[in-house]
Amino acid sequence: QVQLVESGGGLVQAGGSLRLSCVASGPISYINTMGWYRQAPGKQRELVASITAGGRTKYAKSANGRSTISRHNAEKTIWLEMNSLLPEDTAVYYCNADICSGIFASTCEERWGQGTQVTVSS
């Protein structure tokens, strides 16, 4: 019953900014890498940014320079801050996490949230 719940999506004008959050809950022993993905209508889901448990980050070229991913391990929360938003940023944004449970957190499984809609108007 591990859950990832995203929030913070909405309608934003081009050039604006947005902050998305994702909170993990349930029988969690440890969370490895977490990330944000997005999927626009008719397109494949793509990585926006990821962050390891130690704070090492990666960004897609389309997001690099305009986005910041961060996390708070104790709160099991991850954020994605985006600025200078463009209409092409419009998509459903999904939280992803490699979540471990069981003895010594030895069993891990990739989990997905339900997604939050981000719409950028021109």
Side-chain angles (χ1 to χ4, degrees):
Q1 293 186 286
V2 171
Q3 289 186 313
L4 297 175
V5 180
E6 305 98 332
S7 63
L11 177 63
V12 184
Q13 292 185 347
S17 61
L18 204 63
R19 178 178 160 109
L20 307 179
S21 64
C22 172
V23 180
S25 62
I28 300 170
S29 296
Y30 191 78
I31 304 178
N32 290 315
T33 300
M34 301 183 73
W36 286 95
Y37 292 73
R38 66 186 181 188
Q39 187 168 20
K43 295 185 178 297
Q44 296 290 325
R45 187 171 299 184
E46 64 177 357
L47 173 71
V48 179
S50 65
I51 183 168
T52 67
R56 189 167 186 170
T57 60
K58 293 182 179 179
Y59 295 93
K61 290 184 178 180
S62 60
N64 192 31
R66 331 187 270 122
S67 303
T68 301
I69 187 171
S70 59
R71 65 188 286 172
H72 192 292
N73 292 331
E75 297 179 356
K76 299 181 177 64
T77 303
I78 186 174
W79 297 271
L80 177 67
E81 298 177 9
M82 299 187 69
N83 55 63
S84 300
L85 287 166
L86 302 168
E88 47 262 46
D89 292 319
T90 296
V92 177
Y93 284 70
Y94 295 91
C95 180
N96 171 270
D98 184 25
I99 299 176
C100 305
S101 60
I103 186 170
F104 302 116
S106 58
T107 57
C108 306
E109 185 175 347
E110 187 177 40
R111 301 285 186 173
W112 293 91
Q114 293 297 310
T116 183
Q117 176 72 49
V118 172
T119 302
V120 183
S121 62
S122 59

